[in-house]
Amino acid sequence: TIPTICAPRGNAAEMVATRLDTKLREHIMNSRHNLFADSAEDIVTQSRRPVLVLLDRDLDLSSMLTHSWTYQALIHDLYDIQLNQVSIVQDDGSGRISKRSYDINTNDAFWESNAMLPFPEVAINIDDASNAFKREADEITRMGGVNSLDEVGDLNMGASTKQLQRAITTLPELTARKANIDMHMNIATSLLEMIKERQLDVLFQMEEQLGRQTKVTILEAINDPEKKNPQDKLRLFALYMLANDGLRPGDIEECEAALKLAGCDLASLEYIRKLRSLNKMNASITSPALGTGTSAGPSGDLLGKFSSISNRLAGFTDSSSLGSIFSNVRNLLPSRKQLPVTCLVESAMGNRANAGGLGAGLRSAAGGSSSTAARMFEDFVHFDPKQARRGNLAGSNANALRGSLAADGAAQEAIVFVVGGGNYVEYQNLMEFAQRSTPRKHIVYGSTDIVNASSFLAQLSRLNGTS
């Protein structure tokens, strides 16, 4: 089905939208083999056309810099994910560096069900999976009369035929599960070491409550010797600056001086300031939390269960010191909130009832209001390659297009593409919106590149050198 197209004015996304509209229109009119040819049995589909939302990266810089707390996004932030492979470099304490690479299999059921969950929940799920594995392994070894899975080749021939058959047929599945648990155990252990070393739980909590931070608390974090990663401090201050348009120049200079002493390269920060001065929409776009901020979750230590995994999995995994690593990690769950891209996509898909409310999550450089997002979307350019008129459907034509979409009901499918870098934080936020919608929406997310905060800061630094 041919999608309708919308994009913000005056930047790369509008240029892409204009060219794409022309290409689709030419294809429809001139192609002998029209890929979008309507069919009689597809009338319902044609009446509910998808919407293609093209966005510029500078609409929301904050989402690219924030510290995440979900499993997939945390892995990508700390270790990067390239071609579904995670490479972890570790120091054994004696100066020897080791590198392990893990392939994330698309058929990995544990990954599929846990990638978007907060890390503390993933810790419990690894514990549950490992316990279930150990119970089944114990049963198989007991039936075979051996002490471990490695000895299954020496099965007790005195056992019943059914027992032997079950042990032999179950062995490949258990071996694969063991390798999968080992992988997630090792990744989780490495993540926890990084969380402890860089105090990522503290930084995450500060960013979740960014509205409560002051210059004093930000300076304390920058000057804290326990926070050893300069880039973490730079990201925190950049988020604070984006969220506070009225910072005094003297306060900014004081924080930047502290960042320099901490070893930060301020080139990326300088480019962010240039973007904000060129376009007021490049200021912070902060969504209101649907909950009450950071949640402590259920009572008790959510990560405490994970401390005994190494003992319970003795002989089955390589881990032996998870308890000490988890002991100082805070029990944090992310607050529910919609990121700016999700808010705009919700509006573009025709959820007019929510259009006014989503504006509270978008703030311009001149100050935010509840109608900012609605005004932003109203100012988008709109294209419909199926209509005879070329170019942007301005004025009444754009209103007619949106009116026809509203008459057909909210769009159920959207293709979202960000011209510039994207990340798993944004992707997961869109997927959460799609899943909680009734009926469930189908959203495809893409961007010029999928980058973590470190790579994004490097891109901003390079751009600053060429601007």
Side-chain angles (χ1 to χ4, degrees):
T1 305
I2 301 171
T4 59
I5 306 170
C6 63
R9 295 177 185 272
N11 216 323
E14 181 182 4
M15 293 188 289
V16 173
T18 302
R19 292 192 178 189
L20 182 60
D21 173 63
T22 301
K23 286 289 186 182
L24 289 176
R25 193 180 301 276
E26 291 175 351
H27 176 78
I28 295 170
M29 295 179 62
N30 303 324
S31 177
R32 297 180 59 184
H33 303 284
N34 187 351
L35 297 176
F36 301 98
D38 295 346
S39 57
E41 66 272 17
D42 204 27
I43 295 177
V44 175
T45 302
Q46 296 294 333
S47 67
R48 296 278 181 97
R49 296 165 61 190
V51 56
L52 171 59
V53 185
L54 296 170
L55 299 170
D56 296 300
R57 178 68 272 162
D58 56 10
L59 280 172
D60 176 25
L61 299 178
S62 298
S63 298
M64 299 298 295
L65 300 174
T66 186
H67 289 88
S68 179
W69 201 239
T70 58
Y71 191 38
Q72 184 180 39
L74 193 58
I75 293 173
H76 185 240
D77 186 9
L78 300 183
Y79 296 114
D80 207 357
I81 300 176
Q82 294 290 340
L83 301 177
N84 287 344
Q85 187 177 78
V86 180
S87 296
I88 297 176
V89 178
Q90 292 178 302
D91 188 340
D92 61 4
S94 62
R96 290 183 298 179
I97 303 297
S98 61
K99 181 178 180 179
R100 289 186 177 183
S101 295
Y102 301 98
D103 292 320
I104 305 296
N105 195 320
T106 55
N107 297 323
D108 184 346
F110 185 88
W111 176 258
E112 285 294 316
S113 59
N114 287 271
M116 295 172 58
L117 294 182
F119 188 62
E121 292 186 25
V122 177
I124 287 181
N125 292 339
I126 293 178
D127 189 13
D128 293 340
S130 63
N131 289 335
F133 167 80
K134 189 174 186 301
R135 286 193 298 270
E136 293 186 37
D138 288 343
E139 182 180 356
I140 294 299
T141 55
R142 178 182 53 79
M143 287 191 305
V146 294
N147 296 321
S148 70
L149 289 180
D150 296 333
E151 300 176 6
V152 170
D154 301 323
L155 290 173
N156 180 7
M157 293 298 107
S160 68
T161 303
K162 288 185 177 180
Q163 288 178 326
L164 291 175
Q165 184 179 9
R166 181 183 175 189
I168 293 173
T169 55
T170 307
L171 181 59
E173 189 267 338
L174 280 179
T175 302
R177 282 176 59 189
K178 175 184 180 298
N180 185 257
I181 292 173
D182 283 346
M183 179 185 74
H184 288 289
M185 180 71 70
N186 293 334
I187 292 175
T189 303
S190 299
L191 290 176
L192 284 166
E193 290 173 347
M194 292 292 285
I195 290 170
K196 181 178 179 181
E197 178 183 342
R198 293 169 54 174
Q199 295 192 358
L200 297 179
D201 53 337
V202 178
L203 291 168
F204 170 77
Q205 186 176 37
M206 292 184 69
E207 292 169 10
E208 284 283 286
Q209 302 172 348
L210 203 57
R212 302 181 187 178
Q213 305 305 322
T214 64
K215 183 194 74 171
V216 174
T217 58
I218 296 298
L219 278 174
E220 287 177 353
I222 294 174
N223 295 323
D224 185 359
E226 296 299 320
K227 295 179 177 61
K228 301 176 182 179
N229 189 291
Q231 201 170 83
D232 288 333
K233 299 178 180 182
L234 180 64
R235 290 164 64 180
L236 177 64
F237 176 71
L239 290 169
Y240 177 69
M241 184 180 71
L242 287 168
N244 294 275
D245 302 327
L247 285 182
R248 295 182 300 178
D251 293 341
I252 294 178
E253 291 174 3
E254 187 177 356
C255 291
E256 288 184 346
L259 287 170
K260 287 182 180 179
L261 289 175
C264 299
D265 179 3
L266 302 186
S268 57
L269 203 61
E270 183 179 347
Y271 188 73
I272 291 175
R273 287 203 305 270
K274 289 180 182 179
L275 283 177
R276 297 182 73 195
S277 65
L278 291 172
N279 190 341
K280 291 183 179 181
M281 288 190 299
N282 294 335
S284 173
I285 306 178
T286 309
S287 302
L290 301 181
T292 57
T294 302
S295 169
S299 60
D301 181 9
L302 191 59
L303 292 175
K305 289 181 63 179
F306 211 67
S307 63
S308 61
I309 290 181
S310 58
N311 294 330
R312 296 179 183 179
L313 284 182
F316 296 97
T317 69
D318 299 327
S319 177
S320 60
S321 59
L322 289 177
S324 60
I325 298 174
F326 272 88
S327 60
N328 293 326
V329 176
R330 298 191 179 195
N331 173 17
L332 300 172
L333 297 177
S335 59
R336 289 184 59 206
K337 60 183 179 182
Q338 283 193 177
L339 297 178
V341 167
T342 305
C343 291
L344 288 169
V345 170
E346 181 180 18
S347 183
M349 295 186 77
N351 289 15
R352 306 300 294 171
N354 298 326
L358 72 91
L362 294 162
R363 298 176 57 192
S364 69
S369 68
S370 61
S371 61
T372 304
R375 290 200 307 268
M376 183 183 295
F377 180 70
E378 291 294 330
D379 195 47
F380 274 27
V381 293
H382 297 265
F383 300 92
D384 185 355
K386 292 182 66 176
Q387 291 200 7
R389 177 176 174 176
R390 291 177 178 270
N392 175 33
L393 299 176
S396 60
N397 289 310
N399 293 331
L401 172 59
R402 290 192 290 268
S404 66
L405 291 175
D408 291 336
Q412 299 304 311
E413 296 184 28
I415 304 157
V416 184
F417 190 89
V418 181
V419 181
N423 65 10
Y424 288 102
V425 173
E426 220 162 48
Y427 162 74
Q428 291 176 356
N429 199 253
L430 282 167
M431 295 304 104
E432 289 169 1
F433 161 67
Q435 290 171 6
R436 66 173 176 264
S437 299
T438 304
R440 180 172 176 173
K441 298 183 182 298
H442 180 69
I443 298 176
V444 177
Y445 173 80
S447 64
T448 307
D449 195 9
I450 301 295
V451 295
N452 58 16
S454 179
S455 298
F456 187 67
L457 286 172
Q459 290 180 0
L460 294 181
S461 296
R462 289 195 298 270
L463 289 170
N464 184 63
T466 59
S467 61

